[in-house]
């Protein structure tokens, strides 16, 4: 038994080494990704449930790795956070998203809102507000078309600092939404102090909406809370008509999900905006 324990230890040590090496290799590659043009953005439409129209998109990052193919953000965003590279990557995302919004407007398409995910470390960057302003100026994009998606965890770490920064962004007319709402620990009391315009119901509550009475209760509660606090509410991860019908019946304002469209390249969004009646 003693021998086996030792072997197990060696086995785990090797596994851990492999995982660590993998992580270091990815981090090393990520360092070059921005400069070598390996990052790109896909855009997922956000649909207004009342009109059925696309009113905005969320920018979602993809890494075109030279050997591994497309690496999903769940794999590399945490590494970028940990290493601090998220600040440079996030700045690239902000600039590219604003420039894309500008390209669509220049093509004569109806202006839509552009949502960009901001991770906690990026939000903590003392230059965030300046970087956002610079990205808007570079693209000659009006601030009303930009929305930042932040998570509850970010807010609850330093409530006063978060309020101050959000007020600054609010003064610039930049909308803020809370992503993955309900999965973190935001204090409902704190929520009313934040200049938030939208709550996003996390897809974990949407997935079993047709069958789970618990999830139905949670979704209803978030919709009601949003409206009582004068915010709009969007559901993410909507994949089925049953989910959509439940959300419509319960007064949800907007939705996003594969039922409508997966995240797509810019030209696909342009095509959708060019013929809104077919939506
Ligand atoms: P998120 O912000 O919660 O984004 C929603 C995720 O759900 C996206 O995954 C999207 O592709 C996926 N999704 C959309 N519709 C559906 C659906 O109907 N069903 C299901 N099952 N999934 C759906 P993605 O693109 O892999 O992004 C994962 C996460 O990576 C994002 O979660 C966000 O936290 C982070 N992320 C993505 N892009 C950026 C970025 O530019 N900056 C930062 N800081 N984080 C990003
Ligand atoms: Ca998001
Ligand atoms: Ca989300
Ligand atoms: Ca998420």
């Amino acid at each position: 038994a003693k021998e086996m324990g030792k072997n197990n230890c060696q086995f785990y040590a090797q596994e851990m080494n492999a995982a660590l090496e993998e992580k270091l290799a990815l981090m090393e590659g990520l360092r070059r990704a921005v400069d070598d043009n390996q990052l790109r953005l896909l855009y997922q439409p956000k649909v207004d449930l009342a009109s059925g129209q696309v009113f905005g998109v969320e920018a979602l990052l993809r890494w075109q790795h030279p050997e591994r193919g497309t690496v999903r953000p769940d794999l590399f965003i945490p590494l970028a956070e940990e290493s601090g590279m998220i600040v440079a990557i996030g700045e690239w995302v902000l600039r590219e998203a604003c420039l894309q919004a500008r390209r669509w407007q220049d093509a004569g398409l109806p202006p839509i809102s552009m949502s960009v995910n901001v991770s906690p470390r990026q939000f903590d960057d003392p230059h965030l507000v300046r970087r956002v302003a610079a990205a808007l100026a570079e693209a000659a994009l009006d601030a009303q078309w930009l929305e930042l998606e932040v998570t509850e965890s970010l807010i609850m770490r330093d409530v006063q600092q978060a309020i101050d920064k959000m007020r600054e962004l609010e003064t610039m007319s930049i909308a803020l939404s809370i992503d993955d709402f309900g999965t973190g620990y935001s204090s409902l009391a704190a929520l009313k102090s934040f200049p938030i315009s939208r709550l996003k119901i996390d897809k974990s509550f949407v997935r079993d909406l047709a069958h789970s009475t618990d999830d139905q209760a949670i979704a209803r509660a978030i919709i009601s809370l949003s409206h009582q606090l004068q915010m709009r509410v969007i559901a993410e991860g909507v994949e089925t008509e049953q989910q959509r019908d439940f959300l419509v019946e319960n007064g949800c304002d907007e939705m996003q999900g594969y039922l409508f469209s997966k995240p797509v390249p810019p030209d696909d969004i342009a095509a959708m905006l060019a013929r809104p009646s077919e939506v």
Side-chain angles (χ1 to χ4, degrees):
K2 213 173 172 185
E3 261 316 291
M4 244 178 82
K6 193 177 159 197
N7 284 339
N8 269 339
C9 277
Q10 274 172 354
F11 176 71
Y12 286 127
Q14 276 167 13
E15 287 266 283
M16 270 174 60
N17 266 334
L20 193 65
E21 270 171 36
E22 161 86 0
K23 186 170 149 181
L24 290 174
L26 273 179
M27 275 197 186
E28 193 48 44
L30 198 52
R31 249 176 257 287
R32 287 189 303 266
V34 177
D35 291 338
D36 290 359
N37 260 327
Q38 294 170 8
L39 298 181
R40 71 179 181 127
L41 292 176
L42 295 181
Y43 301 90
Q44 187 177 38
K46 295 185 172 191
V47 179
D48 184 279
L49 279 167
S51 68
Q53 303 287 319
V54 177
F55 69 93
V57 292
E58 176 177 4
L60 291 160
L61 189 58
R62 298 291 180 266
W63 176 14
Q64 302 295 135
H65 192 282
E67 287 111 39
R68 293 164 197 256
T70 305
V71 186
R72 294 184 65 91
D74 286 334
L75 208 69
F76 69 88
I77 296 277
L79 297 183
E81 270 280 304
E82 201 181 308
S83 62
M85 281 186 273
I86 192 68
V87 175
I89 291 172
E91 182 170 28
W92 179 85
V93 171
L94 260 173
R95 293 179 59 205
E96 179 55 26
C98 289
L99 288 169
Q100 185 55 58
R102 161 55 47 214
R103 284 179 212 120
W104 286 325
Q105 289 192 18
D106 283 349
L109 299 164
I112 54 169
S113 144
M114 171 64 76
S115 301
V116 171
N117 290 288
V118 174
S119 64
R121 187 134 171 203
Q122 197 187 348
F123 192 81
D124 282 347
D125 169 18
H127 304 297
L128 175 76
V129 175
R130 190 180 55 73
R131 288 184 211 271
V132 171
L136 287 168
E138 179 187 22
L141 187 71
D142 196 298
Q144 67 167 309
W145 302 116
L146 182 65
E147 177 185 75
L148 303 181
E149 296 193 5
V150 302
T151 56
E152 291 166 275
S153 55
L154 170 159
I155 289 174
M156 300 321 293
R157 284 183 315 169
D158 183 344
V159 174
Q160 194 51 52
Q161 191 211 267
I163 293 179
D164 291 347
K165 200 166 264 186
M166 287 183 176
R167 293 251 161 88
E168 253 186 287
L169 292 163
E170 186 192 28
T171 314
M172 295 165 63
S173 306
I174 292 160
L176 286 157
S177 74
I178 301 199
D179 205 353
D180 304 344
F181 188 75
T183 61
Y185 302 90
S186 57
S187 122
L188 296 181
L191 200 60
K192 70 172 189 208
S193 327
F194 296 110
I196 296 287
S197 48
R198 182 179 272 113
L199 295 184
K200 190 179 252 195
I201 304 174
D202 189 66
K203 57 178 180 284
S204 62
F205 302 123
V206 174
R207 194 179 2 170
D208 301 323
L209 210 46
H211 314 288
S212 159
T213 49
D214 286 350
D215 288 343
Q216 290 173 1
I218 292 169
R220 278 201 200 95
I222 297 176
I223 292 167
S224 157
L225 176 70
S226 307
H227 289 158
Q228 303 211 35
L229 294 175
Q230 325 294 338
M231 299 173 193
R232 292 184 66 80
V233 56
I234 183 165
E236 70 174 8
V238 180
E239 296 181 356
T240 68
E241 281 171 15
Q242 292 98 304
Q243 292 165 345
R244 182 197 54 201
D245 292 347
F246 178 91
L247 293 163
V248 171
E249 277 159 27
N250 287 278
C252 189
D253 302 308
E254 303 153 357
M255 71 161 188
Q256 205 183 330
Y258 299 159
L259 177 65
F260 186 73
S261 167
K262 62 186 200 315
V264 292
D267 286 352
D268 295 24
I269 299 291
M272 286 177 211
L273 295 176
R275 38 175 179 70
S277 53
E278 286 175 36
V279 160

